[in-house]
Amino acid sequence: MALPAWLQPRYRKNVYLFIYYLIQFCGHSWIFTNMTVRFFSFGKDSMVDTFYAIGLVMQLCQSISLLELLHIYVGIESNHLLPRFLQLTERIIILFVVITSQEEVQGKYVVCVLFIFWNLLDMVRYTNSMLSVIGISYAFLTWLSQTLWMPIYPLCVLAEAFAVYQSLPYFESFGTYSTKLPFDLSIYFPYVLKIYLMMLFIGMYFTYSHLYSERRDALSVFPIKKKTL
C-alpha cells in the first residue's frame, strides 16, 4: 500500500524547503521595503543608520542561511558545499566580526551598499528557489537568478574589502579580538584582517568560476530558438 503523499520523504523535504525559502524571502523583502521607504523618506540620512534600522533582521537572515550548509551536507539541496561555504562565511565574517563588533563602522555608507547588494541577490535567488520547489519555473526568473550575480557579486566583494579597510583603524585603536598568548606570543587582529583581505579575492575567483559553471548548466535546459532565414 502506497504511503499518502504528505508522508512521502520527497513531499516532506519540499515542504520544508518551501517554508525555509519563504522565510528568507519574507525577511529580505522586509529589508528591501524598509530600505526603500527610508531612502525616499529621509534621503542620504537613511544610509547612515541602515544598520540600526535593519541590522537585526539582516543578522537573523544570514544566521538562518547557515542551514543551507546542512541542507547540502544531508542531500536535501543539490549544490556544492565548498563554494556555498565560502559565500556564507564571507558574509558572516563581514557582518558579525567586522561590522557588528565596531559601532563606528556601522554608520558607514558601505554598510548600506553591502546590504543592498546582499538583499538584491537573495531576494531573486530565494524567489526562484521557492517557486522551483513547488514545480513552477519561469525562464526569465531563472535567467535573472543565474545572471544578476555576475555584476553584483564582484561589487559585493569590493564593498566587503572596503568595509574591512575602513574597520582597520578601529581594530587597531580598540584592540578588539587582539589577544596575548603564552610564551610571549600574541594575535594582532588587524594583521588577521589583512590576510583575510587577500583570501577574500582568492575566494572570489573560485566562487565566481563555480557560479559561472552553475549558470551554464542551469540555463542549458532552456532551449534557444534560432530564426531561420
Side-chain angles (χ1 to χ4, degrees):
M1 182 178 178
L3 290 173
W6 62 274
L7 286 177
Q8 294 178 7
R10 181 180 179 83
Y11 179 85
R12 294 200 302 268
K13 181 194 78 170
N14 288 343
V15 169
Y16 166 76
L17 286 177
F18 179 81
I19 293 173
Y20 169 77
Y21 293 140
L22 179 62
I23 291 172
Q24 288 282 26
F25 171 76
C26 291
H28 287 286
S29 296
W30 183 89
I31 292 172
F32 178 78
T33 303
N34 190 294
M35 292 182 71
T36 303
V37 171
R38 285 172 52 78
F39 180 77
F40 283 108
S41 300
F42 306 108
K44 290 184 179 180
D45 292 339
S46 66
M47 300 176 68
V48 177
D49 60 351
T50 295
F51 184 84
Y52 304 102
I54 64 173
L56 182 60
V57 180
M58 180 63 80
Q59 289 173 332
L60 181 61
C61 289
Q62 297 304 324
S63 298
I64 294 174
S65 68
L66 291 174
L67 285 172
E68 294 175 26
L69 299 178
L70 180 62
H71 296 170
I72 298 170
Y73 181 75
V74 300
I76 63 175
E77 227 182 310
S78 57
N79 209 327
H80 294 280
L81 184 62
L82 183 58
R84 192 70 191 125
F85 173 79
L86 291 176
Q87 287 177 280
L88 289 175
T89 51
E90 277 180 21
R91 295 189 182 188
I92 294 298
I93 291 173
I94 297 299
L95 180 58
F96 288 95
V97 177
V98 175
I99 298 175
T100 303
S101 68
Q102 300 298 331
E103 189 174 352
E104 291 76 8
V105 179
Q106 295 169 12
K108 303 290 186 182
Y109 286 132
V110 69
V111 175
C112 180
V113 173
L114 260 179
F115 282 10
I116 291 172
F117 286 156
W118 289 350
N119 196 51
L120 284 175
L121 289 175
D122 286 342
M123 275 189 64
V124 175
R125 182 169 69 90
Y126 287 122
T127 301
N128 185 57
S129 298
M130 181 174 60
L131 294 177
S132 298
V133 164
I134 57 177
I136 299 176
S137 179
Y138 295 104
F140 174 74
L141 185 58
T142 301
W143 176 86
L144 185 63
S145 176
Q146 296 294 333
T147 305
L148 187 62
W149 62 266
M150 296 182 75
I152 291 184
Y153 178 62
L155 294 176
C156 277
V157 175
L158 288 175
E160 289 167 1
F162 189 66
V164 172
Y165 173 76
Q166 287 196 312
S167 72
L168 285 174
Y170 304 109
F171 280 104
E172 291 171 355
S173 300
F174 302 132
T176 311
Y177 300 131
S178 296
T179 184
K180 291 185 178 181
L181 300 175
F183 308 108
D184 294 328
L185 299 176
S186 63
I187 296 176
Y188 187 55
F189 196 70
Y191 288 161
V192 176
L193 286 178
K194 290 174 183 177
I195 295 172
Y196 176 71
L197 275 177
M198 294 185 290
M199 295 175 62
L200 193 61
F201 289 101
I202 296 172
M204 181 188 74
Y205 173 78
F206 178 79
T207 303
Y208 200 94
S209 301
H210 167 74
L211 290 175
Y212 185 82
S213 176
E214 190 179 73
R215 176 183 185 271
R216 181 184 56 204
D217 295 339
L219 297 184
S220 64
V221 301
F222 295 100
I224 300 176
K225 295 182 180 181
K226 297 182 179 180
K227 294 181 179 180
T228 56
L229 298 177

